Amino acid sequence: MTTTTSLSVRDLRVRYGGVTAVDGVNLDLPRGAVVALIGSNGAGKTSVMNAVMNLAGDSSGTRVFNGNDISKMRTDQIVGLGMALVPEGRRLFPYMTVAENLTMGAYLRRDSAAIQRDRDRVLEVFPALREKLNQPAMSLSGGQQQMVAIGRALMSSPRLLLLDEPTIGLAPAVVDLIGTTIRAINRDGVDVLLVEQNASVALDLASYAYVIDDGNVVMQGSSETLKHDNRVQAAYLGL
Ligand code: ATP
């Protein structure tokens, strides 16, 4: 494993009782990159992402993050090494305010000056949250809730951000805004692993993508190559 690799996954398998959801997935995320997992509903994308953080069912295989073998680590230890997940459906604390949700993202940190800087940066990236800081998270629109979920993850000061379906259910203008933000976060030096059913969004944001079907990687390549692949166009881009 070289230090130019952020995340490396080998022979990942995930089972839920008798169901095999992921059946031997290999993937690599180079430092500095945005990499996407695309595929249809139920293909196993969320299971891959959750297993990387040791949150999914019964998983096996090797996961190495910035040179550390995290395969058997607890999720909080993995967060401590600099990985953060924005889960599907956002999973905010609905009755807590926006400010409290953001603070929860920094729960493992003690560096209060840096926490304040990161909070300022989140509000710079998502100015719409500034006037909502004292409102309960559940009172926000879907797009604003997604901003809080991404902001909360950024409050852990991650080196790698895992984003699970960040644009699902959002209006096109908000999808564009989330996309712009993901680019900005990546430019700030955060690596990104993106799960998307919206392959068009994913291939625009990522430099490289894996196509997952029925728990396996069935295709992989640069986004440019995949965008022009007939099978990807027919199955995932609606062309
Ligand atoms: P989606 O876009 O709908 O989230 P996905 O590609 O992320 O789909 P997964 O959510 O990883 O796919 O699901 C892969 C398979 O595992 C599916 O057959 C799903 O029904 C099954 N599965 C996922 N989570 C569980 C669970 N907790 N218990 C049992 N089966 C599960």
Side-chain angles (χ1 to χ4, degrees), residues 60-76:
S60 65
T62 309
R63 285 82 96 186
V64 176
F65 173 47
N66 284 333
N68 301 289
D69 188 338
I70 59 167
S71 317
K72 298 206 160 33
M73 281 189 192
R74 292 193 317 267
T75 304
D76 62 311

Side-chain angles (χ1 to χ4, degrees), residues 16 19 21 40-47 88 165 197:
Y16 302 103
V19 178
S40 41
N41 210 342
K45 307 179 299 298
T46 296
S47 296
E88 191 173 10
E165 304 275 11
Q197 261 185 64

